[in-house]
Amino acid sequence: MSHIAKRSAAAMSKTDITAIAVFAKEDAAKGNKVINASIGTFYDDDHKLGEVPLIKKALSEYIPSSLGYPSVYGDPSYLAGVKAFMFGDKAKEIDSLYKVFGGATIGGTGAVSIAFNIFNEADESVILPSVMWTNYMLIAKKAGLNYKKYQVFDENDRLNLKDIEAKVNESFAESGSAFLVINDPCQNPTGYCMDEDEYEELFALLNKLGSKGKLTVLFDVAYSAFYAVPGHHFALNDELVKGKPSFLPLIGFSCSKLFGMYGLRVGALFALCQDEDEKKAIAGSFGAEARGTYSVPVGAPQAAIAKVLADPACQEELWSEIKKNTDCLAKRSKGFLELIDELGIKHYPYKSGFFITIKVNDAFGLHQKLMAKHMYVVPMDETSVRIALN
C-alpha cells in the first residue's frame, strides 16, 4: 500500500536531462572516459565551468552582506536591472506602453512553473512546441494541466504559424482561453532562432487570435543574450513596442547560462499588463503562489546581479564577457555541423545557442547504445536526440 497521493505518483524519467547528467558523472567517477553531451552547462575550452567573471566577482563581494529574507517578489533593484537588460533600448517604450509586473523566481524553471499555475485553470491545456525542453511537460503535469503540441517547423523549416493557429483555436473551443509557449531565441533543443519577419508574422497572428479569446503567451527567453545570427537580431522587443497587443505577453528570464549561475537558481517572470488593475491582480496571484511553495526567492545573488546591472561602467565589460562565451559556442557548433553534414546526419535547423538536435529512427535505443559506450546524449522524443555543445 502506497502512502503517496495519486496526483503525485510519478518520478523523474530515466531520460530526464539532469538524471542523465548524473549517470554521466557517476560513470566518470568510476574512471571511465566519458563524453557528456547531456546537460546544457557551458564549459570553456579548458573544461572549466563557464562563467561571467564580472558577475562572479560581484557574488563574492555582495552575497555575505545580503543574507536576509528578500521580498516574496524579489529585490526591486534586481528586477529593475533585469528589465533594463532584457528590454535594452526599448525599455522606456515598454514602460510607457504597459504596466509591467516583475517577480523574481527560482531560475527560469520557476518562472515557467508560476506562469503555468496562475494563468491556467486545472485540467486546461498549455500549448507547447513539438520539439521542446521536456521539463515543460513535467511542469504542466505538476500544475494539474494537460498539454498539446504545435509543430515547430513548417515545410520551409520556419516557425509553423498554421499549426500554432490551429492549436490555439482548439484551446479556445475547449475552454475559451489558450496558453502558448514560445521558446526563442536559441530554442532548446534545436538552436533555432526566429528572424525579424517571423516575429512580425507571429505577432500579427497572435493579435488576430487574441481578439477571439483569452490568449496568454509565455516567451521563454532564457538564451536571449546568445542570439548570434549574422545580419539579424532578436526582434521580440521590436514587436512589443508597436502597440498594446490583444493578448497577454509574459516573459520568462533566467540567469543560469547567461551569468553562469546554474546552481544559485535566479530568474524572473514579467507580465506586460494592459492596466494597473491587471498588474495588481497578477501581483497578488504571483505572491500567493510563491509564498505557498518556496516562500521567497534566493535573495543574495539578486543583490550581486543588481550591482552589476546598475553600474553603467560595467555594461561594456559584461557584454564582452557574454560575447566571449557566445563566440565559443559558435565555433563549436560550426565544427559539429560540418561533421554531421559531411556524414549525412539529418538535424533540425540550427542558428545559435547551446544545443543541436539530430533526427534518428530510434532515439531511446540510440541513447542506450551510446551509454554502453560511455557517451551521454538526451533523447527528446522517439525520433530526436539533443547534443549539448558543452
Side-chain angles (χ1 to χ4, degrees), residues 279-327:
K279 178 181 176 180
K280 287 180 179 178
I282 290 172
S285 295
F286 180 101
E289 182 68 25
R291 191 76 179 111
T293 49
Y294 54 80
S295 183
V296 294
V298 185
Q302 292 180 53
I305 294 169
K307 293 291 184 181
V308 173
L309 295 183
D311 186 350
C314 291
Q315 300 312 301
E316 184 176 349
E317 182 180 352
L318 177 63
W319 278 104
S320 176
E321 292 172 354
I322 293 171
K323 186 177 185 303
K324 180 180 177 181
N325 292 340
T326 302
D327 290 345

Side-chain angles (χ1 to χ4, degrees), residues 66-82:
S66 308
L67 298 179
Y69 285 123
S71 158
V72 69
Y73 300 104
D75 182 335
S77 58
Y78 161 78
L79 291 166
V82 167

Side-chain angles (χ1 to χ4, degrees), residues 90-100 241 244:
K90 300 293 192 298
K92 289 184 178 179
E93 291 177 83
I94 292 288
D95 276 335
S96 68
L97 271 173
Y98 304 95
K99 298 298 181 182
V100 182
V241 299
K244 288 184 178 179

